[in-house]
Amino acid sequence: SPTTSRPTSTFSAVPGSSRVYRGGVGAYENSVKLQFLGVSAETLSVHGAVSEAVAREMADGASRILEADAAVAVTGIAGPGGGTAGKPVGTVWIAVSWRGRVRAFTHVLPGGRDAVRRRAAQWALDHLRRTVGANLGLRSGASSLPVISTFSDHNLGRFHARGRRARAKRRRDVD
């Protein structure tokens, strides 16, 4: 939620992403998390919106409602206000769902609001890239796969390879 749709716009800017990208939900308000993604009211009440449990339920919900093999969710505090001693500004939880299995990661990111939002989106896309790549048997770091973004595995392998070739071409063009 602190990134709203930044990962979506970053990913969809990549040529060919329409072959694997299914859609996204900008779940900024808790009511959207509850109504669209199926995050339980109890989870929100007990853990708060910025928590591992909520991030996991968001990723699972996005994967379920969009019938996608992979989904990434971000919830956090971008600032400038809203932080506490236990959850300072810059705290983000990122969850990646892959075919029903969900992993969660936390980061405390430095900088102002825009920097936190940008870094959270980058981390979310990186965690998604690594998860998808590992589950498709691709080398770590071999992908250019760029909240909430969801993907179907149909053609992901070819998309993955296309990004690797594009990066290699950019490196050749620079040299």
Side-chain angles (χ1 to χ4, degrees):
S1 41
T3 61
T4 319
S5 297
R6 189 171 240 146
T8 296
S9 62
T10 301
F11 186 82
S12 62
V14 176
S17 61
S18 62
R19 286 186 269 245
V20 296
Y21 180 71
R22 302 247 356 199
V25 177
Y28 199 74
E29 289 188 359
N30 286 344
S31 62
V32 176
K33 293 173 180 72
L34 292 163
Q35 294 170 4
F36 290 97
L37 298 175
V39 173
S40 79
E42 181 180 356
T43 301
L44 276 167
S45 175
V46 170
H47 300 283
V50 180
S51 64
E52 176 180 5
V54 168
R56 286 176 173 275
E57 288 187 25
M58 288 171 64
D60 187 55
S63 180
R64 188 180 59 257
I65 65 171
L66 293 168
E67 299 177 345
D69 292 303
V72 62
V74 180
T75 185
I77 305 166
T84 65
K87 295 179 186 177
V89 169
T91 300
V92 295
W93 276 98
I94 299 167
V96 177
S97 172
W98 174 259
R99 295 183 177 169
R101 291 183 19 227
V102 181
R103 293 184 62 204
F105 311 88
T106 188
H107 301 276
V108 179
L109 305 172
R113 181 176 179 79
D114 192 53
V116 169
R117 293 178 71 227
R118 184 175 22 82
R119 288 179 175 126
Q122 290 169 338
W123 273 112
L125 296 173
D126 188 58
H127 288 303
L128 176 66
R129 174 188 65 84
R130 290 173 186 274
T131 300
V132 170
N135 283 285
L136 292 178
L138 302 168
R139 289 183 302 116
S140 178
S143 173
S144 65
L145 288 176
V147 150
I148 295 171
S149 302
T150 57
F151 308 88
S152 168
D153 74 358
H154 180 69
N155 289 325
L156 266 178
R158 280 189 283 167
F159 186 75
H160 205 76
R162 186 179 313 112
R164 188 171 52 248
R165 287 190 302 270
R167 277 194 317 284
K169 182 182 182 316
R170 283 193 300 272
R171 281 193 298 271
R172 285 191 306 273
D173 291 344
V174 171
D175 295 338

